[in-house]
Amino acid sequence: MSLAPGQPVIILKEGTTRTQGRSAQRNNIAAAKIIAEIVRTTLGPKGMDKLLVDNIGDVIVTNDGATILEKIDVEHPAAKMIIEVAKSQDHVVGDGTTTAVILAGELLRKAEELIEQKIHASTIISGYKKALDKALEVINENAIKIDLKDRATLRKVITTSLGSKSLGFALDKLVDIAVDSVLSVVKEVNGKQRADKDDIQIVKKIGRSLGETELIRGVVVDKEVVHAAMPKRVENARIALIDSPFEIEKTEFSAEIRIRDPLKIKEFLDEETNILKGMVDKVKAVGANVVFCQKGIDDAAQFFLAKEGILAVRRVKKSDMEKLAKATGGRVVTNFEDLSPKDLGRAGLVEERKIGEDRMVFVEKCENPKAVAVLLRAGLERQLDEAERALNDAIMNMIDLVDDPRIVPGGGAIEEEIARQLRQTAGKLSGKEQLAYLAFAEAVEAIPRTLAENAGLEPVEIMAQIRHAHENGQRAVGVNIFGGGVIDMLANGVIEPAKVKLHALRSSFEAASMILRIDDVVAASKKKEEKKKEGESETPEF
């Protein structure tokens, strides 16, 4: 069947929009650049904060790139892809999100200039890939291996990561807490040292000052002791961890019991009490003086536990039970019959304390805890939230160092060294790829340039000084944020984990290349919810 001349062929649904070719590329790059510009001013110790207001009026004040991009509500698909870069960076290494997004935006900005010169996107991506490989090589060449026992160097790395956070006089305290908390939970897996963020519990409580934040060598359970007659403080605690109810389990089916002798009623009721007493006797027999139960504890069982002087907590979260096992060296038991003295955990002190309006049970002074807790305090809720974000970044930086104990100079020094070596080796490439290779070099220089701009310095002058220093073999020279000019970053203790830089470069390249490959955007029509006006009846459509 042939179509009549001029008859349209309808493929896409009504309301669907389609953008093709150069126009699609231009729109996608513009959206990505806008996202990069949003976080650009937050980079560095003198970066600015953003005030975010959500649709119900809640306010967040932060300069954390991952939080800013997570909270803003974007619609453009290319912008969402750039936000995925930040999420990936935050999830894998926990820091460097702002750097990754700025790099992705700058790579796309340079690519747009090349596209205007009629260079195909595939050629640009190929040149970028070769530049990325060289950039990763430069980082690996310049990375310095450190010893995890070198506390002074570890503190410098964490101080650098927290330099842009508004922590004031509490900075040193949080640096020490981040270092100590991660070193406490380091374990060896297949011959390599590893640390897991899940083994570090962060408990936020408003009230007091940020400087009163403390590291608990154990676990904080957000529950209270179940019975008023129980002890609220137990020293040299022997802890039973039970994932079984301190109750008589009800049958799944209905049953009817007929008792003809009135005396048998009391025996029947007493039997339930005897079973519960038997459970408590078992706990007492193995030597436990503290019980954490993942399930419920019957009133009668509470009475018998209190009578024996045993501190008990019920309905403890599964995650907290796992942390308690790691911290105390105990084993979670699912059957009372299996409970034995070797299953008990040990702690120097178990105590119920009132923190603000809540009562919590502290399990601390554990001998060799493989799970620890940080009780984070602050006077304002927003300050508490920002402190938590800062502490998370610091802890993740420490975990990165445990995983890959290598550092690179901060302050834009490693980026400038990458740019210098890329410019030196660009001559080995022929054709248009060389232009993309050089464009990559200019893109990574956005980091020292942005640091200078955010510090109120003259970026052109600063970049000239940095380039001159690196050409003369001073590889660790970067932007002097506080004094102006340039300084040696290694000598001044401004250092960052190599793993953060490696991942930021990879993820920014992947996002930029993905967006550059798109030359057609087909957007479906949006569903509009029609609101009926008051008193207006709905008219059916046929």
Side-chain angles (χ1 to χ4, degrees), residues 245-265:
F246 252 104
E247 298 169 331
I248 304 300
E249 295 191 54
K250 308 299 179 187
T251 57
E252 292 181 2
F253 51 85
S254 299
E256 183 180 308
I257 300 171
R258 294 185 180 182
I259 300 173
R260 292 183 174 83
D261 185 352
L263 295 175
K264 298 288 184 185
I265 296 175

Side-chain angles (χ1 to χ4, degrees), residues 304-379:
F304 290 125
L305 286 165
K307 194 175 178 184
E308 297 292 350
I310 297 172
L311 184 154
V313 181
R314 64 179 170 182
R315 306 206 186 283
V316 179
K317 290 188 295 186
K318 184 181 178 182
S319 58
D320 285 349
M321 291 293 281
E322 290 169 356
K323 288 185 180 73
L324 282 164
K326 289 177 181 177
T328 65
R331 186 173 76 91
V332 179
V333 176
T334 55
N335 190 331
F336 277 94
E337 298 302 317
D338 298 336
L339 187 63
S340 65
K342 67 178 187 210
D343 296 322
L344 301 183
R346 299 284 194 276
L349 176 66
V350 175
E351 183 180 25
E352 181 189 86
R353 296 177 197 157
K354 189 173 182 183
I355 307 293
E357 297 297 315
D358 304 315
R359 293 187 181 277
M360 310 172 85
V361 176
F362 286 70
V363 180
E364 54 185 344
K365 296 182 182 177
C366 299
E367 192 173 330
N368 186 25
K370 289 302 172 188
V372 295
V374 178
L375 181 61
L376 196 60
R377 308 303 301 271

Side-chain angles (χ1 to χ4, degrees), residues 160-178:
T160 302
S161 77
L162 295 180
S164 61
K165 311 297 181 185
S166 304
L167 300 173
F169 64 89
L171 176 64
D172 287 340
K173 183 79 176 279
L174 288 184
V175 168
D176 286 327
I177 285 174

Side-chain angles (χ1 to χ4, degrees), residues 88-110:
S88 165
Q89 182 79 10
D90 192 50
H91 177 71
V92 177
V93 294
D95 200 9
T97 50
T98 306
T99 298
V101 172
I102 290 172
L103 281 174
E106 202 63 26
L107 287 171
L108 288 167
R109 186 192 303 279
K110 295 297 177 186

Side-chain angles (χ1 to χ4, degrees), residues 136-294:
L136 299 179
E137 185 186 310
V138 172
I139 290 177
N140 288 322
E141 283 175 1
N142 286 273
I144 302 165
K145 191 163 186 178
I146 62 167
D147 188 345
L148 291 177
K149 293 177 183 175
D150 182 359
R151 187 180 178 85
T153 302
L154 295 177
R155 289 190 87 262
K156 287 174 185 175
V157 176
I158 306 308
T159 303
T160 302
S161 77
L162 295 180
S164 61
K165 311 297 181 185
S166 304
L167 300 173
F169 64 89
L171 176 64
D172 287 340
K173 183 79 176 279
L174 288 184
V175 168
D176 286 327
I177 285 174
V179 172
D180 291 335
S181 62
V182 174
L183 291 179
S184 297
V185 301
V186 171
K187 52 183 177 285
E188 197 165 298
V189 181
N190 299 326
K192 290 186 177 181
Q193 288 190 311
R194 292 283 183 268
D196 191 345
K197 173 73 171 59
D198 291 339
D199 293 337
I200 301 170
Q201 176 191 28
I202 298 178
V203 181
K204 298 190 300 179
K205 285 295 170 185
I206 200 163
R208 300 202 177 179
S209 71
L210 194 54
E212 291 178 75
T213 296
E214 58 181 312
L215 175 64
I216 309 294
R217 295 194 177 276
V219 180
V220 179
V221 180
D222 198 359
K223 299 283 181 180
E224 56 186 276
V225 176
V226 293
H227 196 281
M230 286 178 178
K232 300 294 188 289
R233 178 185 172 93
V234 175
E235 295 183 5
N236 298 318
R238 298 177 300 281
I239 303 165
L241 304 172
I242 300 171
D243 181 13
S244 179
F246 252 104
E247 298 169 331
I248 304 300
E249 295 191 54
K250 308 299 179 187
T251 57
E252 292 181 2
F253 51 85
S254 299
E256 183 180 308
I257 300 171
R258 294 185 180 182
I259 300 173
R260 292 183 174 83
D261 185 352
L263 295 175
K264 298 288 184 185
I265 296 175
K266 188 174 186 307
E267 287 180 25
F268 178 77
L269 295 172
D270 286 347
E271 186 58 30
E272 185 172 314
T273 305
N274 290 335
I275 293 170
L276 292 169
K277 190 173 188 309
M279 291 177 176
V280 175
D281 289 342
K282 174 68 175 176
V283 170
K284 183 70 176 175
V286 298
N289 53 12
V290 175
V291 171
F292 286 97
C293 184
Q294 197 171 326

